[in-house]
């Protein structure tokens, strides 16, 4: 039995924080003028990936050391100096004192998300013969990026350019594996897996519109789970909006909600 406690939250938040820090590193390698960078302060990761990036925020605040005004000063300055909003993704295991300190410094909650996890097990059963899932090679990065962007952009065509850039960075990130699912040798779905000290972080996956509901998403999940098992991971995690289709799909695959966290935004500097 796996309990939802401080030790579990530390593992999950550290895995996501490192993955986002590696994403910022990849952006800086591909786009040296982006200013992307990160720091670690009091055990938390503060990541700047651009002013409008959803990755620009902190992870693990108050989990590894008691949250203090001094550590908040350092992290706030990191974001303010880069003209970015000050945002923190905070686990409830950080405790009431941490939340009280945020409130006293003019923070307000702006978003909630569910962190889900499950034990990593070797998938049973054989994949459908007409579906193949594999880790891409470096020469296939553009193909993977195009499939991923097409899948996500179907509902949000205005984000296509952003999604193409996001895919290119994801395929260049260290400790990140890009999986491609093919139906009868036709590429149709893309997904990401990040490994960190036994934790397998399942990133968002997408299927091109014309090949949806053909089993590609299930095959992607199974193959990523198999890869995590073969590489010594014991814990798989996902993050989803509460009550969303993503959450329901994850729960159908054995994931369970470990805790609900809150994103806090600094409305005006207290100093």
């Amino acid at each position: 039995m796996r309990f939802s406690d401080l030790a579990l939250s530390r593992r999950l938040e550290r895995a996501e924080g490192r993955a986002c820090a590696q994403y910022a590193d990849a952006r800086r390698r591909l786009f040296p003028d982006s200013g992307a960078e990160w720091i670690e302060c009091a055990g938390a990761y503060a990541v700047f990936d651009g002013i409008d990036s959803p990755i620009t925020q902190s992870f693990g605040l108050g989990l590894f050391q008691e949250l203090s005004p001094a550590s908040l000063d350092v992290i706030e300055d990191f974001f303010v100096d880069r003209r970015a909003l000050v945002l923190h993704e905070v686990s409830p295991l950080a405790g009431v004192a941490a939340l009280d300190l945020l409130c006293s410094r003019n923070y307000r909650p702006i978003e909630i998300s569910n962190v889900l996890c499950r034990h990593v097990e070797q998938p049973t059963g054989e994949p459908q013969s007409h579906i193949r899932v594999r880790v891409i090679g470096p020469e296939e990065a553009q193909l993977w990026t195009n499939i991923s962007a097409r899948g996500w952009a179907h509902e949000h065509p205005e984000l296509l350019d952003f999604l193409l850039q996001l895919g290119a960075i994801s395929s260049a990130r260290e400790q990140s594996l890009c999986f491609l699912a093919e139906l009868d040798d036709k590429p149709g779905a893309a997904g990401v897996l990040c490994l960190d000290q036994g934790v397998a972080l399942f990133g968002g996956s997408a299927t091109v519109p014309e090949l949806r509901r053909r089993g590609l998403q299930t095959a992607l999940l199974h193959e990523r789970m198999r890869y995590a098992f073969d590489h010594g991971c014991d814990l798989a995690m996902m993050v989803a909006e509460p009550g969303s289709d993503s959450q329901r799909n994850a729960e159908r695959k054995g994931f369970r909600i470990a805790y609900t966290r809150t994103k806090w935004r600094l409305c005006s500097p207290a100093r």
Side-chain angles (χ1 to χ4, degrees):
M1 179 178 294
R2 192 179 299 279
F3 296 101
S4 182
D5 56 13
L6 179 60
L8 177 64
S9 188
R10 282 174 171 170
R11 287 192 71 190
L12 299 179
E13 297 299 315
R14 177 57 56 86
E16 187 175 18
R18 282 202 184 107
C20 291
Q22 291 162 356
Y23 186 94
D25 286 340
R27 181 185 290 277
R28 187 171 61 249
R29 288 196 303 273
L30 294 179
F31 305 100
D33 295 333
S34 65
E37 59 182 315
W38 58 274
I39 62 170
E40 184 176 355
C41 178
Y45 283 87
V47 180
F48 176 76
D49 183 57
I51 292 176
D52 298 321
S53 172
I55 293 174
T56 296
Q57 60 180 60
S58 78
F59 301 85
L61 196 72
L63 284 182
F64 300 91
Q65 293 183 28
E66 182 177 353
L67 187 59
S68 68
S71 59
L72 267 181
D73 285 348
V74 172
I75 295 174
E76 288 174 2
D77 287 346
F78 174 79
F79 291 116
V80 171
D81 289 348
R82 290 158 180 79
R83 301 179 182 274
L85 293 175
V86 182
L87 300 166
H88 308 292
E89 197 87 66
V90 183
S91 164
L93 279 301
V96 173
L99 303 184
D100 184 61
L101 179 58
L102 291 176
C103 290
S104 71
R105 290 171 68 107
N106 298 321
Y107 282 89
R108 295 293 182 269
I110 62 168
E111 184 180 303
I112 57 176
S113 59
N114 283 334
V115 178
L116 302 99
C117 67
R118 58 159 290 178
H119 185 68
V120 171
E121 299 174 342
Q122 187 169 23
T124 58
E126 293 297 323
Q128 300 181 56
S129 60
H130 60 294
I131 295 178
R132 181 173 69 141
V133 180
R134 58 188 175 81
V135 178
I136 67 166
E139 72 283 356
E140 298 176 297
Q142 188 61 57
L143 169 64
W144 184 91
T145 296
N146 291 340
I147 295 297
S148 179
R150 280 189 59 209
W152 288 110
H154 179 63
E155 285 80 15
H156 304 283
E158 73 280 2
L159 297 179
L160 180 60
D161 289 343
F162 168 78
L163 291 166
L164 287 169
Q165 187 180 94
L166 185 150
I169 297 170
S170 294
S171 61
R173 176 172 51 184
E174 294 181 358
Q175 304 300 318
S176 176
L177 298 129
C178 295
F179 287 74
L180 187 69
E182 298 170 319
L183 180 69
D184 295 326
D185 296 325
K186 182 177 181 180
V192 178
L193 183 69
C194 299
L195 306 183
D196 182 82
Q197 297 186 0
V199 177
L201 172 59
F202 285 65
S205 55
T207 305
V208 298
E210 66 272 19
L211 295 181
R212 292 181 178 178
R213 303 187 183 279
R214 306 286 291 274
L216 292 178
Q217 282 295 319
T218 297
L220 265 177
L221 179 64
H222 281 196
E223 193 57 36
R224 286 183 291 172
M225 190 68 71
R226 189 188 312 278
Y227 190 99
F229 178 85
D230 290 343
H231 288 78
C233 293
D234 66 295
L235 187 61
M237 71 172 290
M238 289 183 177
V239 180
E241 180 184 353
S244 64
D245 288 342
S246 295
Q247 177 188 309
R248 287 190 286 271
N249 289 336
E251 291 185 286
R252 291 188 185 102
K253 303 302 182 182
F255 286 82
R256 294 294 177 261
I257 297 172
Y259 50 88
T260 300
R261 64 188 184 186
T262 306
K263 182 179 288 189
W264 296 79
R265 181 179 67 196
L266 180 61
C267 293
S268 59
R271 292 173 286 121

